[in-house]
Amino acid sequence: MEAAGRQRLKDHVRSNWQNAVLVCRKCSKKLDGGFGKDGEERLAKALRRHLSLKKGRKAAAGIIEVNCLGVCPRGAITVVNGAASRDWLLVRPGADLDALATALDLPAQAETQNPG
């Protein structure tokens, strides 16, 4: 039985994510943009916007910037699909975001397929 005044910690938290994509923050900072309509956005934000994804755990997929993944390619960003973590992608500025979404197994319009 719980002692008075002590709060019980949650065991887990749910998300709506079908996929989790990890984007190297260090690579993104080095490139300073290169994605989106005007080529001024970082990859994570541009991909999230391109797929009409919300931010956070209520989105249909998670696109998360993480600390250095240790690959450090010149002129590219390291991206990992959490469901297929054996194959990492090196994404160059101006890459086709539809092709990238397909390579990452992300639906073209993720939010419209999983509202709520």
Side-chain angles (χ1 to χ4, degrees):
M1 191 146 160
E2 290 183 29
R6 283 180 56 185
Q7 290 184 338
R8 182 183 149 135
L9 297 176
K10 288 187 176 185
D11 295 321
H12 66 281
V13 177
R14 295 189 186 272
S15 77
N16 293 336
W17 295 358
Q18 299 296 319
N19 302 66
V21 175
L22 310 178
V23 178
C24 181
R25 180 181 291 123
K26 187 174 178 182
C27 293
S28 293
K29 283 184 178 180
K30 283 183 180 180
L31 287 183
D32 195 28
F35 299 93
K37 190 169 69 170
D38 297 325
E40 295 178 1
E41 287 182 321
R42 289 166 67 150
L43 177 59
K45 185 174 182 177
L47 189 57
R48 201 177 293 118
R49 183 185 308 247
H50 181 74
L51 296 174
S52 301
L53 290 172
K54 297 175 186 171
K55 213 174 177 184
R57 62 187 181 89
K58 295 195 179 197
I63 299 174
I64 309 148
E65 282 189 312
V66 297
N67 288 334
C68 184
L69 291 168
V71 177
C72 304
R74 287 191 179 198
I77 298 174
T78 306
V79 178
V80 180
N81 178 355
S85 58
R86 289 183 56 110
D87 297 316
W88 295 15
L89 301 174
L90 304 178
V91 182
R92 305 232 176 260
D96 180 2
L97 295 181
D98 284 325
L100 178 58
T102 300
L104 294 169
D105 293 327
L106 296 171
Q109 290 295 318
E111 285 303 318
T112 58
Q113 292 181 3
N114 190 10

